[in-house]
Amino acid sequence: MKARKILLILIVALFAVDTLPAQTARKKVAVVLSGGGAKGMAHIGALRVIERAGIPIDIITGTSMGSIVGGLYSIGYDSERLDSMVQLQDWALLLSDRESMRSPFLNERMDQNTYALSKTIVLDKKGKTSNTGGVIEGKNLARLFGALTAGIPDSVDFNKLPIPFACVATNIIDNTEYDFHSGSLAEAMRASMSIPAVFSPIRKGDMLLVDGGLRNNYPADIAKAMGADVIIGVTVQGAPKTVDELKTGAAVLGQIVDINCKNKYDDNLAMTDVAIRVNTKGYSAASFTHAAIDTLILRGEAEAMSHWDELMALKREIGLADDYRPERMPMPAGSMTLPEAEALDNTSSHVVKGALGVRFDTEERVSLQMVGKWRPAGRPMEIDATLRLGKRIMAGADLRYVPKGRDVMRLSYKYWHSDLDIFQEGDRIYDLRYSKHTVDWSVQLANLKNFIINAGARFDYYHYIDVLVERDAEYVPGDITDEHLVSYYAHVNYNSEDNYTFPTRGARFVAGYEYHTDNFVKYAGHAGLSDIFASWRIAFPLGSRLSFQPMIYGRFLFGNDQPFCLGNFVGGDWYGHYVERQMPFIGTSHMEAINSKFIALRLKLQQRLGTNNYIILKVTGAQRGDELKNLFDHGPLIGTQLGYAYNSLFGPLGATIGYSTLTHKAHFFINLGFVF
């Protein structure tokens, strides 16, 4: 009896062991995601439907945008998390090398709103660089990928990720395909989407890797080689354009890319069991607006839903019940937002930076400004050189002491050559052509994330070359004669705004005191001239798209025999645009001479339309006088302005029309690009 029981237990155990493979040896499912730039956002919608169908994903492969979506999915970013992640991003910033407004370096944030293009090259001590080609270095993308994959080892076997993963890059040294199966996941995704001549390639050993779409834009063959039995594919590649559709350079370039991405495409599509081909008509690889992303995700979801019956049939084919649901993967440890930039380590590398700004406006026409910066290895210093071309020519050089990446001390020289028209109450009074030499030494007394205090001494020499007098000037102080000044100053700069050009919240405060002399102590034999200025702007959100921004500002100059070069000037939308001490005054686009005491209140309403379009209304009231006691004796000056602006990668593009009681004339002004 006992032997019979033991025999029965053995039979049951053998039967269980024999049937175990039948229960677990189901077919492996792979999801393959094609490249396509912004069009690849449709992959997120398709993945949402695959999850809804309860189909487990055993392998995932991708190229370019497909590698980003697939790589993040393989470590736990499901469709819901991916949707949240792409909505959180500032894509205009992410696809550039500019610093975020959350950067810890206030000076860097100011630079990003001056220069449209920038490039950083890191050299070793022998002068060799790892940087190669590309207009965009991709440092913001690299930082984000690093944050998203935090917790994943720098060198990992991609087959050991929660979902085995692989992606494709192209080695442009010999035009061969390189498949990532291990290494740094962030680097693999960054290499796979490196569009040639747009993003810098990734150097890996003797290889130079760019976008994988050039060799294998839909890597179903890799999924097969990894053991896939069935393949669900998502492609966003549209039909080739016709002759009539190829009317622009961008369209021709897109056609060339699409044709080159056809390598292996038909063969790989033939081995796909369920092919989800998303209609992305009307969108391009560069359609990274939030509205476009929403639409593309919905299109991916809608197209995948049209294959619902095929997906459920495939689920039964691999041996799963209709109500089966795989377990959700744990939430990844990474952050879904772009981290703050870190200070560059200059102990072992030379750092060379270059930046270019170009703008057009109806007052100065075309202007161009270039800057080059060099931070030598092992030295806490930086040397900057700047050149500006246009009606206002400027050349300058700075020597800065920058331990841990922060300005501490600066010695600079600048040369200006300007041809300016100066107006009074709408009439031109002077046509000036002059040069200016400035030597400036300053130290930073405080340098926090949003707050800088600096103090220093400055020497200025003004040389007036030509002075054309149109009529007598009532408010212009002093005679227009050559002048030299030795000045001492202290400045405060605070900025917590969320956007430099179109803020919706935060504050900006700038103030300073300067003491001007002509012999280090006095001016014209008496006490020096005191110069006090300040501006304070606060942005209040009144909704998701509307913000209210009051600003109070002004400048008071005290002392006798005030020279022309220190006079008050107002006009336009920006501080210091034409001359150093110019203050904005809407309703006039040129520079107006005004009394030595000036104070103004500006109210601004900013309405965002869509993603990057803005309608802006401004009203300013101001008082002026030669003495504090008569500051309010004159009636107030009023300026109004209505404008439109588009927030582009190359700076704001827009136009305004305004009127002020200072000029009694309407002013129309066009600006294209960042202000400098």
Side-chain angles (χ1 to χ4, degrees), residues 404-423:
K404 299 182 180 180
R406 296 180 183 271
D407 275 355
V408 172
M409 188 179 302
R410 177 183 300 209
L411 178 64
S412 67
Y413 166 78
K414 282 189 173 66
Y415 167 78
W416 292 90
H417 182 87
S418 299
D419 187 351
L420 297 177
D421 292 331
I422 297 178
F423 289 73

Side-chain angles (χ1 to χ4, degrees), residues 109-128:
R109 281 146 51 191
M110 293 169 66
D111 279 353
Q112 74 153 334
N113 292 277
T114 301
Y115 301 104
L117 300 173
S118 63
K119 181 74 173 178
T120 301
I121 299 175
V122 180
L123 305 158
D124 63 23
K125 290 186 177 180
K126 295 181 180 180
K128 294 182 179 180

Side-chain angles (χ1 to χ4, degrees), residues 395-460:
D398 288 5
L399 175 62
R400 299 190 289 146
Y401 176 56
V402 286
K404 299 182 180 180
R406 296 180 183 271
D407 275 355
V408 172
M409 188 179 302
R410 177 183 300 209
L411 178 64
S412 67
Y413 166 78
K414 282 189 173 66
Y415 167 78
W416 292 90
H417 182 87
S418 299
D419 187 351
L420 297 177
D421 292 331
I422 297 178
F423 289 73
Q424 187 178 87
E425 297 183 355
D427 296 320
R428 188 173 69 168
I429 55 174
Y430 289 131
D431 179 1
L432 297 181
R433 191 162 60 92
Y434 74 98
S435 61
K436 175 187 174 186
H437 301 265
T438 298
V439 179
D440 194 332
W441 175 83
S442 66
V443 294
Q444 292 202 351
L445 305 177
N447 191 340
L448 305 177
K449 179 177 179 179
N450 295 323
F451 189 66
I452 292 175
I453 301 177
N454 66 313
R458 185 177 66 243
F459 172 80
D460 296 300

